[in-house]
Amino acid sequence: MDYIRKHCLFCGEGENVEKLYPQTFRIEDLTPEVFSARRSTEHFHYDIVRCRDCGLVFSRDILPDDMLKRLYSLSKVTFAEYTEIIRRDYWACLEPFMNGAQKGAALEIGCSTGFFLDELLAHGFKDVFGCEPSIEAKEMASPNVKKNISLGFFKDGLYAHKTFDLVCSFQTLDHLSEPVEVLRVTHDILKPGGLAYFITHNVEGLQAKLLGEKSPIIDVEHIYLFNKATLKRLLEKTGFEVLEVSNVKNSYPVDYWLKMFPLPQGVKNICRNVVAGVGLGSMPLPLKAGNIFIVGRRRSDA
């Protein structure tokens, strides 16, 4: 199989990269389950490199798009019990930018079961649309949004130019093989003055620094990993006015944090049983654990 070589989004083939971690999987290891979100990582990842000049971290040689499409189309929804928490946390970051903003049409790229589209409807958006490769995720969407979810990868031509007041995407930018192209299309389909809102992992977040290669974000699903500076640069490169880049506070229960932390399984089970036994497993534990959000705007004269 021919891998696809990736380069720095900002420095191109003239990049000056250093290898951080070597590839850890065989092709036969890669199943749709490996490409299911919010699982406990198997520590499968490509060769991971960092550009010395701009700091962008990325996977060097990746699977071709046709194989990625197949794996994502068959991936499973593994976090349905947390969607109420996620939708509230994600709205909380966007809400300050909604004062006076238009709430006509919104699109979510990689919308999973459409739970955030339901949140947008609850906050007054008139029409919501989604794009999602997982067959199972679309089937789980509510009747309010399911009919407007396009099955497959987001691409140019799916939606008309200057259609949306808001385009959003969560934990998806770092999965994209061509994020610059996706953001250029995003810019085109936004109305002048429309907002783009993204959440990604922070490659310089506390957990990433503490855990290094054992961090859940060092994963075969992730092609480009951003920090605040490179995420801001990405949006500016594709024509956006950046309004804010900041940390996300996630409000998951204690049991979720333990489930996702890369401990040996036996130790993890003991810890989860202990906190459940004393009644703390379901207690919310808000943490800025390593996600960042960015809000950009298509300029009115663009």
Side-chain angles (χ1 to χ4, degrees):
M1 187 195 65
D2 294 328
Y3 285 85
I4 307 300
R5 172 144 289 206
K6 306 309 293 182
H7 295 282
C8 177
L9 298 175
F10 311 115
C11 305
E13 295 186 16
E15 66 207 356
N16 176 19
V17 301
E18 59 179 334
K19 181 179 283 192
L20 298 180
Y21 311 116
Q23 181 171 311
T24 60
F25 65 86
R26 303 163 301 167
I27 289 298
E28 54 265 35
D29 293 326
L30 301 183
T31 65
E33 286 70 30
V34 171
F35 283 75
S36 300
R38 298 174 192 271
R39 71 193 189 285
S40 297
T41 180
E42 300 84 356
H43 298 297
F44 292 154
H45 60 74
Y46 302 107
D47 284 340
I48 305 294
V49 301
R50 176 170 53 212
C51 179
R52 291 186 178 97
D53 294 329
C54 70
L56 184 68
V57 175
F58 58 99
S59 297
R60 189 49 150 170
D61 297 290
I62 70 166
L63 301 174
D65 271 356
D66 57 348
M67 187 172 181
L68 290 173
K69 286 177 181 177
R70 181 181 66 81
L71 289 164
Y72 277 118
S73 70
L74 298 174
S75 65
K76 303 300 180 182
V77 177
T78 58
F79 58 94
E81 63 191 292
Y82 302 113
T83 55
E84 290 299 317
I85 297 170
I86 298 168
R87 61 189 275 179
R88 290 196 302 269
D89 288 347
Y90 287 2
W91 175 258
C93 297
L94 179 62
E95 188 172 22
F97 303 92
M98 286 289 99
N99 186 24
Q102 296 298 312
K103 294 183 178 180
L107 169 70
E108 183 181 354
I109 301 169
C111 67
S112 185
T113 63
F115 60 88
F116 192 73
L117 299 178
D118 285 320
E119 185 75 5
L120 292 176
L121 287 175
H123 286 283
F125 276 83
K126 295 181 176 61
D127 298 298
V128 295
F129 299 83
C131 189
E132 169 57 43
S134 168
I135 297 169
E136 179 177 278
K138 178 177 177 177
E139 286 304 308
M140 293 174 64
S142 74
N144 292 332
V145 302
K146 184 176 180 179
K147 63 184 183 300
N148 286 342
I149 295 177
S150 173
L151 191 61
F153 280 5
F154 176 76
K155 61 183 179 180
D156 192 13
L158 273 180
Y159 305 99
H161 289 192
K162 300 183 180 180
T163 296
F164 297 103
D165 298 294
L166 171 70
V167 176
C168 57
S169 188
F170 310 114
Q171 312 296 12
T172 298
L173 273 182
D174 33 22
H175 293 234
L176 301 176
S177 61
E178 299 291 344
V180 172
E181 175 60 20
V182 167
L183 281 180
R184 284 177 174 152
V185 175
T186 297
H187 188 273
D188 286 344
I189 64 177
L190 275 170
K191 297 176 183 177
L195 297 178
Y197 168 42
F198 301 98
I199 290 177
T200 74
H201 301 294
N202 182 1
V203 74
E204 292 186 354
L206 179 61
Q207 64 87 7
K209 288 182 176 179
L210 288 175
L211 299 176
E213 188 179 6
K214 292 186 179 297
S215 167
I217 75 173
I218 304 300
D219 186 84
V220 69
E221 288 192 90
H222 298 146
I223 298 173
Y224 291 99
L225 289 167
F226 302 97
N227 58 28
K228 290 179 182 178
T230 54
L231 186 59
K232 181 174 185 287
R233 185 171 179 179
L234 179 65
L235 263 70
E236 290 175 339
K237 178 182 175 73
T238 49
F240 289 96
E241 173 192 4
V242 174
L243 303 181
E244 186 173 347
V245 189
S246 192
N247 296 314
V248 177
K249 182 181 287 186
N250 297 111
S251 306
Y252 297 116
V254 172
D255 182 70
Y256 174 88
W257 296 118
L258 289 172
K259 175 184 174 183
M260 298 304 295
F261 201 79
L263 292 168
Q265 192 60 49
V267 175
K268 185 183 295 190
N269 290 341
I270 291 171
C271 293
R272 294 178 72 186
N273 288 336
V274 168
V275 299
V278 297
L280 297 178
S282 60
M283 183 182 74
L285 180 60
L287 293 174
K288 294 181 179 179
N291 292 323
I292 48 178
F293 77 87
I294 188 166
V295 178
R297 180 166 56 202
R298 176 172 175 166
R299 293 176 174 84
S300 297
D301 57 355

